Amino acid sequence: QWGHAQILSGIARVVASADAKSARDQLRAQDREAPPEPWCAVLVQAFVSATAGDAVGAVVCTRNPTTGEPGAFGEYLAHEGAQAVVSGRANPRPLTLASARRGREDDTLERAEPALFAEIVALSARLERAFGEPLELELVHDAGTLWLLQVRPLVLAPRAQARLALDAIEADSPAYPALLRRLLDVLPSLVESRLPPP
């Protein structure tokens, strides 16, 4: 547990580091100058362990990375943190009933913890709307609270990028021109060429 004085001291060290020689050198290398007033920010938040043993850890995509189909897609582990899901040291379970193997539906988070599943789906959709693009989230549910550990743009397969662009056109989204430009880079991989038999 950090006391008030320790937190203030830590903030002061971070702000002071913005004026360190290495920071100034980095700005100069980018042909930029440091502003005369303090120019960095410090965020103080609760620490949540990504390896908490009594937590539910999950990695959730806001779309299927292969097909581009919207909706929560991912894996989770009960009594493990999110680190266990991404590290490969355990066998995660599917998040949704749709992605479960036949007869294994009870292993899904959707069936095992429907309230938590609904909370994750709602948060995922809200974040995708806020960021305006598909996302991959690392989450942990610990002591009754859902924590967002990490969020990053979702890497989509070419077919999924095409689906995303078509969905944006269908919804008359202002993002569709940018999505179409991005699609041009992967268009050749969407075309299958077949040579005639010898």
Side-chain angles (χ1 to χ4, degrees):
Q1 292 287 342
W2 278 34
H4 186 72
Q6 288 173 301
I7 292 173
L8 290 177
S9 172
I11 291 171
R13 285 195 311 271
V14 170
V15 172
S17 73
D19 196 37
K21 181 183 179 318
S22 59
R24 289 193 311 270
D25 290 347
Q26 195 172 32
L27 287 170
R28 260 191 241 103
Q30 298 171 9
D31 292 325
R32 295 170 51 200
E33 290 185 29
E37 69 279 348
W39 54 279
C40 71
V42 179
L43 173 66
V44 179
Q45 64 183 36
F47 173 76
V48 179
S49 174
T51 58
D54 58 346
V56 173
V59 174
V60 181
C61 302
T62 59
R63 284 183 177 254
N64 183 314
T66 305
T67 66
E69 181 183 354
F73 179 87
E75 300 173 317
Y76 84 102
L77 280 169
H79 310 295
E80 299 271 359
Q83 186 60 36
V85 179
V86 296
S87 70
R89 65 181 165 90
N91 290 326
R93 297 175 176 180
L95 202 64
T96 64
L97 290 167
S99 58
R101 280 189 263 152
R102 184 169 296 179
R104 303 299 304 260
E105 293 85 1
D106 288 344
D107 289 345
T108 66
L109 188 66
E110 186 174 4
R111 178 75 54 83
E113 296 199 40
L116 175 57
F117 176 77
E119 188 178 357
I120 288 172
V121 168
L123 176 64
S124 300
R126 196 170 107 216
L127 287 170
E128 183 174 297
R129 280 192 307 275
F131 281 92
E133 66 179 315
L135 302 169
E136 182 180 356
L137 317 171
E138 280 184 34
L139 305 154
V140 68
H141 185 262
D142 187 35
T145 303
L146 182 62
W147 298 90
L148 178 61
L149 303 178
Q150 195 171 151
V151 59
R152 57 188 161 266
L154 178 61
V155 177
L156 295 169
R159 190 172 303 278
Q161 288 185 41
R163 168 78 184 260
L164 183 65
L166 291 171
D167 286 352
I169 291 168
E170 184 72 27
D172 199 23
S173 164
Y176 83 81
L179 293 171
L180 287 174
R181 281 192 297 278
R182 239 188 266 171
L183 190 57
L184 289 175
D185 295 336
V186 297
L187 203 55
S189 62
L190 286 169
V191 178
E192 184 178 346
S193 329
R194 295 191 183 203
L195 296 173

